Amino acid sequence: MNVPSDSEIPQETPQLKLLRRMVMTLTAVMIGGVLLTFALIVIRLSDRTPTLPDEVDLPDGASALAVTIGANWYAVVTDDNRILIFDKTTGKLRQSVSLDPDTQD
């Protein structure tokens, strides 16, 4: 069995060392990019549906036509041309806005 001596083992050139380091860096960056892309997809596709109360107490005779949600409020547009704005945490009526049905833009 012939064991090579230290002088017979090929030494890496500085260019080869640089190339090996660049390939390792590129591999690490690509793995990080794939993980980041996967994390962003999961975050974007997660369920972010807004929460509404189970029940909304509307004034007598009013029924809802549309609902919109703000940061700490939600609004209900009723069939009697009113917008009712409720507090999201307490569910109490904050404001009532009457719309004039004869006015058109």
Side-chain angles (χ1 to χ4, degrees):
M1 178 173 235
N2 196 4
V3 177
S5 66
D6 287 339
S7 62
E8 292 176 353
I9 297 175
Q11 298 294 320
E12 275 189 350
T13 62
Q15 292 88 0
L16 191 57
K17 284 183 181 179
L18 177 65
L19 180 63
R20 184 170 43 87
R21 287 184 182 142
M22 288 173 58
V23 168
M24 294 298 286
T25 304
L26 179 62
T27 303
V29 168
M30 287 177 62
I31 289 171
V34 167
L35 291 175
L36 180 66
T37 302
F38 179 73
L40 288 175
I41 288 172
V42 168
I43 289 169
R44 286 289 189 164
L45 296 179
S46 64
D47 186 22
R48 292 181 176 215
T49 55
T51 56
L52 281 175
D54 295 331
E55 247 180 51
V56 177
D57 293 326
L58 296 176
D60 291 335
S63 61
L65 293 177
V67 175
T68 189
I69 303 169
N72 57 354
W73 56 269
Y74 58 92
V76 178
V77 179
T78 62
D79 60 351
D80 57 357
N81 293 321
R82 288 188 293 169
I83 301 173
L84 306 174
I85 301 172
F86 295 91
D87 187 81
K88 199 178 223 181
T89 55
T90 63
K92 292 184 179 180
L93 182 65
R94 274 189 181 177
Q95 185 178 359
S96 177
V97 180
S98 295
L99 303 174
D100 185 11
D102 297 330
T103 325
Q104 293 183 2
D105 290 334

